[in-house]
Amino acid sequence: MSIDPSIAAAVALLGGANAAVDRGLSARSIPATSSNDTGPVTWDKYSLMINGQRTFLFCGEFHYYRLPSPDLWRDVLEKMKAANYNAASVYFNWDYHSAKQGVYDFQGVRDIQKLFDIAKEVGIYIVTRPGPYINAEDDSTTDQGYTDAWMEWLSAVDPYFVKNQITQGGQIILNQIENEFGLSKDGRIYMQNLEYKFRDDGLKIPFTFNDVSQTRAYYEGVGSVDIYGQDSYPLGFDCSHPTVWPKSVQTNYRNYYNSLNISEPHYIPEFQGGSFDPWGGPGYAACGELTNERFAKVYYKNNYAQGLTMQSLYMSYGGTSWGALAAPVVYTSYDYGAPISEGRLLTPKYNEIKLQATFLHTATPILTTEYVNRSVPDNTNIVDSVLQSVQNGMPTAQFHVLRQVQTSSITKQDFHVNINITEGEYTLPQKAGTYVTLNGRDSKILTAGYDMSSHRLLYSTSELFSHSNVGSREVAMVYAYPGEYGETTLAIKSKATAKAYSGQISSNTSSSAIQINYQHSGVNPIVISSHGSPDLLLYVADYTEAVKFWAPEINNNTRVFVYGPYLVRDATLTGSTLYLRGDVNGTTQIEVAAPENVRQIRWNNQRVQAKQTKYGTWTATLGGPSSMSIPDLSKQQWKFSPASPETSPNFDDSQWTVASNNALGADKYGYHVNSLWYRGEFAGGSNVTGITLETQGGTGYGYAVWINGNFSGGFSGNSSVGSDTRTFAISSNSGKNVVSVLVFTVGHDEEGGTSDSFKHYRGLGNATLVGSSETITWKIQGNLGGEDILDTIRGPLNEGGLYGERAGWHLPGYPGDANWTSVSLPHQFGTPQVAWYRTNFTLNAPSGMDVPLGVQVTDSDRSTMYRALLFINGWQFGRYANNLGPQTLFYVPEGILNYHGQNTMAVAVIPLEKAAVKSPQITLKSYGTFTTDLTVTSVNSPAWSPRPGYQ
Ligand code: IPT
């Protein structure tokens, strides 16, 4: 067994690598009732088959719970589909659906049936990953009776999986058992029990596993799954050196899988799609740079070179850890540097993935390949992994995955490649004085001996994007970086000609082949005609232009080619009208290669004025978006109220829960997330000189202490400390003394091993007086109602124990703010205390536009120690940490924000340690402006109503 060092480091970060026996609990046998007939989903050692059709599983992780606006699930799934992902991998988050044992909620933003319905409409498969443990930088709160608890969770969620599995006409093709669960004897029983439970509940699809790296867990024997997979994050999770790559790519997947000797496709259920970022980290732009499109080129292509035909990119859309979703290792944004950004924007990595995934679904011989390592280029810095496709035992196409020996190299290399196809052996390129080029951090897949739709491609030194018969001719696109040489040679039956429409080419024809040479620059449409064969329209593009191509399918065998738009969601041909749906971010020239019977092109159902080109395609201009006016909150009035009455010695805490001195941790009292208040009373006297408090809240947490009403400091947190012990001086009264402690918690710990780290307490631990052995009487207060949450719409993770949260000051329509003071931000509020601000604003978005918005928090003094909670229409969408960062812009999805009417924003400022007496500035900021046919209905955001005990 070997663990890649970067993974080991990551695992250490997450809390240890192996065996989590205690997750499994005792052996318990549940009889299996169903057979192993997995119906339409089958596989062999080469690839997955769905309804008998071999399929490259190009999958991406997406968490619906990190985007609580169901109409935007469609946006993300359509964007994935448009890049030719054919599946989304989805964790189902137990505590998001269950405020307490016995209570499960699948309504509103938790409506997973809606997720499956949308997936079906979009035409993308789903891989379900319901845990029970999921990691994912999510908070979780589980303890006793684990087996009973997970059985209950699966009983609640399984019926959705059962009716939406492919055997029932649904979209779910695979179900993952547990996640990265360590191998052990007890673990095998636990895994088996999970499988029995799923089967008993009626799940027929194959079961999969995500092994933490290469630990050989559950691929055989008791508790093993149908299709095993390992995860891999070769660049790890430190985004602070975004240009540093390891010297060599991890290349042992093939050997590893072969060593397991299983007849299953090679599967990576989680391959690095980005990285998470901690409190105080460098920010997600750096994670996006670390795992940029160059990374995608080199590392994803290495996966294919290793024979993988099933791959899921974690994350493909990261989203937002709103409310208390986050584990302490991350802050609110979970952008992840993913191909689709948190604001749902397409990144250069998205475009690279589109090029790869479209190719992988086009060139199906790649689904049945054997490795032949015999091609040695004339440059020792280059490695060529040759994949020889075999069909019915006969060799067909060849794929040469070219990369630099030293993965991190930034030096350009020129070389020749040897191919060996039915027609003979060739050294490429054949044209003297030209060569194949690989820039540093680049990788190419060279296709040879490959039958396209109507033409046989002997080879191309350019990379193939896609090809299709489009009407009576064939269309294809090949690409390379600007200025690089390309040579494409096709088999022909009679003398052929090649005519270029936008650039220089040279061609060389014999009676059996036509060789075309060119340099990549812009887009050069070339028409190759030969008597007796359909024409081929070959687009030769440079990389900058290639990423603007889309090849949506209009039916199973036909793609159309669309060049230009920011996004093409899909294409439909009805009669002689081609309907294209998509988004643009400015005036856009498009070109469409469509069947010749197309008489009309409609873009988002509007007719476009199209002109025909000399080579039979259509061009048109699409209008860009208009602008949307965004209210300037810095110019607007806010209402202010001080909000920590709990600090006053006379505060009435008679309704609070009494906490036992030897178990002060909040979970025991039903308070699991966000802010917690403690009030301790003691008689005191002159001998008491201080109080020592031990608190714990996860890395990035903080707390503040008031003694007899006076602010006494606290701890303002950092990204590596999750607990703190310190002594606060007291000049105690004789008689009643009151200590008020506000702990701002940031989630429970992730569990990577057997340490029970997820059970670490939150809130107050030990509390002792200095100078006296007197006991303190403690009371605790968390979110109103504890596990019996009041706001079931926004759910169990939205509220905490701040006075304002308990009283519903975060909600729209709270009438009490009429009596608050009018202020503008930034606002000085005097002594350290919790401060609340509220304002309303109206949005009037023009129709047909997508304008992702966020809340920008600005404070010129980043050393002031406070947190600010941001609530939009009652939903907690940001935990701003002034002294930690890095996040200052907080994305709020449309649907949570009402784009067609009034919105309410509430901000709670929580002072810590060297305390703040000032609010930050708050403004709205747009991430971009797009035309779209997406429509988003606002989610149900109930207004304030009186809360028990508060007015
Ligand atoms: C892997 C987890 O499976 C996933 O849930 C997430 O936490 C991810 O890490 C990090 O974002 S665990 C792997 C790094 C060992």
Side-chain angles (χ1 to χ4, degrees):
M1 178 185 102
S2 76
I3 298 183
D4 176 59
S6 60
I7 296 293
V11 166
L13 181 67
L14 299 178
N18 288 316
V21 186
D22 65 315
R23 277 193 222 155
L25 296 186
S26 55
R28 168 172 172 152
S29 78
I30 304 163
T33 53
S34 64
S35 72
N36 273 342
D37 173 12
T38 54
V41 186
T42 54
W43 63 92
D44 60 15
K45 69 170 182 166
Y46 296 115
S47 56
L48 195 69
M49 287 163 264
I50 300 177
N51 296 318
Q53 188 95 38
R54 286 191 185 277
T55 309
F56 194 102
L57 184 76
F58 204 108
C59 187
E61 187 78 14
F62 165 61
H63 299 155
Y64 60 95
Y65 52 88
R66 284 187 156 117
L67 184 61
S69 179
D71 286 334
L72 292 181
W73 298 344
R74 182 186 305 275
D75 183 48
V76 170
L77 294 180
E78 283 186 347
K79 282 172 174 161
M80 288 173 68
K81 176 80 194 265
N84 268 279
Y85 282 88
N86 58 350
S89 164
V90 185
Y91 274 145
F92 291 80
N93 186 337
W94 184 351
D95 72 342
Y96 188 70
H97 292 281
S98 179
K100 75 177 202 183
Q101 199 154 353
V103 176
Y104 294 89
D105 184 353
F106 296 98
Q107 304 292 312
V109 300
R110 293 171 181 71
D111 184 352
I112 58 173
Q113 183 55 48
K114 182 150 187 185
L115 175 73
F116 295 126
D117 291 345
I118 291 172
K120 184 154 188 177
E121 284 160 29
V122 172
I124 194 160
Y125 292 120
I126 299 283
V127 177
T128 47
R129 307 204 302 156
Y133 184 77
I134 61 172
N135 211 56
E137 293 70 70
D138 290 321
D139 190 34
S140 84
T141 52
T142 313
D143 50 14
Q144 10 70 348
Y146 182 62
T147 306
D148 290 345
W150 69 248
M151 294 267 284
E152 196 185 279
W153 156 239
L154 294 183
S155 294
V157 75
D158 281 357
Y160 292 94
F161 297 170
V162 169
K163 65 174 182 248
N164 291 288
Q165 60 185 327
I166 189 168
T167 51
Q168 250 81 339
Q171 292 303 111
I172 309 173
I173 50 168
L174 299 168
N175 179 57
Q176 185 185 300
I177 311 294
E178 252 287 342
N179 187 50
E180 303 178 324
F181 185 62
L183 183 64
S184 69
K185 227 169 111 208
D186 291 347
R188 285 189 181 277
I189 293 161
Y190 168 55
M191 286 288 288
Q192 192 177 50
N193 286 344
L194 285 169
E195 290 172 34
Y196 286 163
K197 170 67 178 157
F198 283 117
R199 292 281 180 235
D200 283 353
D201 285 351
L203 228 63
K204 300 219 178 305
I205 50 174
F207 292 160
T208 61
F209 184 63
N210 178 32
D211 194 358
V212 56
S213 183
Q214 303 183 345
T215 75
R216 309 177 85 89
Y218 308 111
Y219 76 97
E220 55 76 47
V222 175
S224 64
V225 293
D226 298 308
I227 304 177
Y228 165 89
Q230 72 150 111
D231 66 16
S232 183
Y233 291 80
L235 294 193
F237 303 98
D238 178 5
C239 305
S240 50
H241 305 99
T243 59
V244 178
W245 284 16
K247 226 172 170 178
S248 131
V249 69
Q250 188 184 9
T251 54
N252 58 358
Y253 306 130
R254 181 187 295 277
N255 292 344
Y256 171 67
Y257 280 102
N258 286 344
S259 79
L260 300 176
N261 207 8
I262 45 181
S263 216
E264 295 163 23
H266 296 179
Y267 179 24
I268 297 202
E270 282 183 25
F271 193 82
Q272 184 149 28
S275 170
F276 61 84
D277 192 45
W279 293 102
Y284 280 111
C287 297
E289 196 189 338
L290 177 71
T291 60
N292 64 8
E293 82 282 2
R294 296 277 184 168
F295 161 77
K297 269 176 184 279
V298 173
Y299 281 83
Y300 301 169
K301 286 178 186 173
N302 177 63
N303 289 351
Y304 321 141
Q306 300 290 319
L308 278 159
T309 55
M310 296 174 73
Q311 156 185 289
S312 188
L313 303 177
Y314 187 105
M315 297 294 300
S316 284
Y317 171 78
T320 310
S321 299
W322 64 278
L325 257 173
V329 286
V330 289
Y331 45 90
T332 304
S333 174
Y334 198 68
D335 177 274
Y336 216 83
I340 304 173
S341 74
E342 185 182 16
R344 297 175 292 103
L345 273 59
L346 309 181
T347 65
K349 181 163 55 190
Y350 172 93
N351 285 330
E352 171 60 31
I353 287 169
K354 171 181 67 176
L355 293 176
Q356 292 183 23
T358 309
F359 167 72
L360 292 167
H361 291 311
T362 301
T364 52
I366 207 155
L367 295 167
T368 47
T369 65
E370 299 283 353
Y371 184 52
V372 277
N373 201 7
R374 60 166 176 233
S375 161
V376 185
D378 57 352
N379 179 332
T380 52
N381 294 311
I382 298 297
V383 53
D384 177 6
S385 300
V386 185
L387 304 175
Q388 176 67 59
S389 179
V390 284
Q391 266 154 27
N392 308 319
M394 295 295 288
T396 62
Q398 239 177 39
F399 302 95
H400 293 246
V401 187
L402 304 165
R403 43 222 208 283
Q404 298 214 14
V405 173
Q406 188 181 321
T407 314
S408 59
S409 162
I410 49 166
T411 315
K412 184 173 102 138
Q413 302 290 342
D414 296 329
F415 55 94
H416 292 84
V417 177
N418 300 310
I419 63 163
N420 179 355
I421 55 175
T422 344
E423 283 82 355
E425 290 189 25
Y426 302 83
T427 297
L428 309 181
Q430 293 190 277
K431 182 175 173 164
T434 70
Y435 33 80
V436 180
T437 296
L438 259 194
N439 285 308
R441 301 188 177 189
D442 191 10
S443 171
K444 288 182 178 174
I445 303 176
L446 188 153
T447 303
Y450 168 66
D451 292 317
M452 302 200 299
S453 307
S454 306
H455 296 82
R456 178 160 170 83
L457 179 68
L458 294 186
Y459 62 84
S460 178
T461 65
S462 309
E463 285 191 272
L464 180 61
F465 165 60
S466 191
H467 61 81
S468 175
N469 283 337
V470 181
S472 66
R473 66 172 174 186
E474 181 161 18
V475 179
M477 191 272 270
V478 295
Y479 64 95
Y481 278 121
E484 290 183 3
Y485 292 117
E487 183 173 289
T488 298
T489 300
L490 298 150
I492 48 173
K493 297 195 193 86
S494 66
K495 205 101 175 119
T497 58
K499 182 171 165 52
Y501 286 84
S502 179
Q504 296 294 312
I505 59 168
S506 65
S507 63
N508 206 331
T509 108
S510 69
S511 59
S512 61
I514 178 166
Q515 174 192 324
I516 305 159
N517 288 84
Y518 45 83
Q519 271 185 290
H520 290 268
S521 167
V523 182
N524 191 0
I526 302 168
V527 176
I528 295 131
S529 314
S530 89
H531 196 70
S533 309
D535 282 358
L536 171 67
L537 167 59
L538 178 69
Y539 284 110
V540 172
D542 72 28
Y543 189 77
T544 330
E545 302 305 317
V547 297
K548 299 179 192 161
F549 273 85
W550 304 84
E553 285 181 315
I554 50 174
N555 62 47
N556 271 344
N557 304 311
T558 311
R559 294 175 183 271
V560 293
F561 286 70
V562 184
Y563 161 81
Y566 174 79
L567 169 68
V568 177
R569 293 176 189 270
D570 58 31
T572 322
L573 182 61
T574 308
S576 60
T577 304
L578 179 67
Y579 292 85
L580 300 173
R581 292 174 55 242
D583 298 15
V584 295
N585 54 0
T587 306
T588 303
Q589 304 297 326
I590 64 165
E591 178 166 333
V592 181
E596 45 283 73
N597 66 332
V598 167
R599 289 280 157 270
Q600 195 190 125
I601 297 173
R602 295 180 83 86
W603 174 258
N604 292 339
N605 211 16
Q606 299 290 308
R607 189 175 182 152
V608 298
Q609 291 301 325
K611 279 202 254 59
Q612 200 146 24
T613 62
K614 289 190 201 117
Y615 49 93
T617 61
W618 297 93
T619 56
T621 305
L622 303 177
S626 56
S627 65
M628 172 178 162
S629 84
I630 299 165
D632 183 352
L633 301 187
S634 72
K635 299 237 160 70
Q636 142 159 4
Q637 237 183 32
W638 292 72
K639 293 290 194 167
F640 157 74
S641 172
S644 34
E646 301 90 342
T647 63
S648 158
N650 303 324
F651 178 76
D652 174 11
D653 63 12
S654 55
Q655 300 304 309
W656 289 27
T657 313
V658 175
S660 135
N661 267 58
N662 42 30
L664 290 168
D667 287 300
K668 190 175 166 219
Y669 305 100
Y671 304 123
H672 302 296
V673 294
N674 291 314
S675 299
L676 304 164
W677 272 106
Y678 288 88
R679 282 171 51 88
E681 254 188 72
F682 61 94
S686 56
N687 51 339
V688 176
T689 58
I691 183 167
T692 304
L693 298 173
E694 185 189 293
T695 58
Q696 184 165 282
T699 51
Y701 93 115
Y703 70 97
V705 178
W706 287 261
I707 297 172
N708 294 327
N710 299 316
F711 184 73
S712 304
F715 174 63
S716 62
N718 64 55
S719 57
S720 54
V721 173
S723 59
D724 181 68
T725 304
R726 71 182 65 194
T727 301
F728 300 87
I730 297 182
S731 49
S732 85
N733 306 322
S734 50
K736 182 176 146 188
N737 290 275
V738 179
V739 179
S740 305
V741 185
L742 170 57
V743 189
F744 180 80
T745 71
V746 291
H748 294 76
D749 296 326
E750 288 187 304
E751 174 66 72
T754 53
S755 63
D756 263 4
S757 52
F758 64 96
K759 292 183 187 169
H760 290 165
Y761 82 86
R762 290 297 175 256
L764 201 55
N766 267 326
T768 46
L769 293 175
V770 182
S772 157
S773 57
E774 193 189 331
T775 50
I776 310 169
T777 318
W778 286 103
K779 286 193 167 181
I780 180 173
Q781 181 63 278
N783 65 296
L784 191 62
E787 292 182 350
D788 297 306
I789 54 170
L790 270 85
D791 184 349
T792 54
I793 302 297
R794 297 181 185 84
L797 306 174
N798 194 56
E799 290 177 21
L802 295 179
Y803 188 91
E805 291 175 294
R806 276 142 48 207
W809 293 358
H810 56 294
L811 297 170
Y814 168 64
D817 69 357
N819 306 321
W820 293 12
T821 315
S822 293
V823 299
S824 59
L825 303 190
H827 168 244
Q828 305 278 344
F829 55 81
T831 54
Q833 59 188 318
V834 179
W836 276 74
Y837 299 89
R838 287 172 56 87
T839 197
N840 296 320
F841 60 91
T842 301
L843 294 178
N844 268 315
S847 67
M849 273 174 57
D850 183 14
V851 186
L853 291 175
V855 178
Q856 178 73 56
V857 183
T858 315
D859 190 330
S860 53
D861 178 6
R862 298 298 297 275
S863 67
T864 326
M865 293 159 176
Y866 68 89
R867 303 286 183 271
L869 287 181
L870 312 174
F871 292 93
I872 289 82
N873 297 323
W875 302 79
Q876 199 239 90
F877 256 83
R879 289 168 162 179
Y880 171 77
N882 190 51
N883 59 310
L884 291 185
Q887 192 177 1
T888 61
L889 178 60
F890 295 83
Y891 173 64
V892 186
E894 181 171 359
I896 293 296
L897 268 172
N898 175 7
Y899 275 54
H900 305 281
Q902 195 178 264
N903 293 276
T904 300
M905 173 129 59
V907 178
V909 177
I910 301 163
L912 306 168
E913 207 172 327
K914 194 188 114 197
V917 291
K918 191 180 88 178
S919 81
Q921 181 60 275
I922 305 281
T923 48
L924 293 173
K925 191 173 166 180
S926 114
Y927 290 71
T929 307
F930 305 89
T931 65
T932 187
D933 79 337
L934 190 74
T935 52
V936 180
T937 316
S938 283
V939 304
N940 181 16
S941 297
W944 179 89
S945 59
R947 294 189 153 204
Y950 297 84
Q951 355 160 323

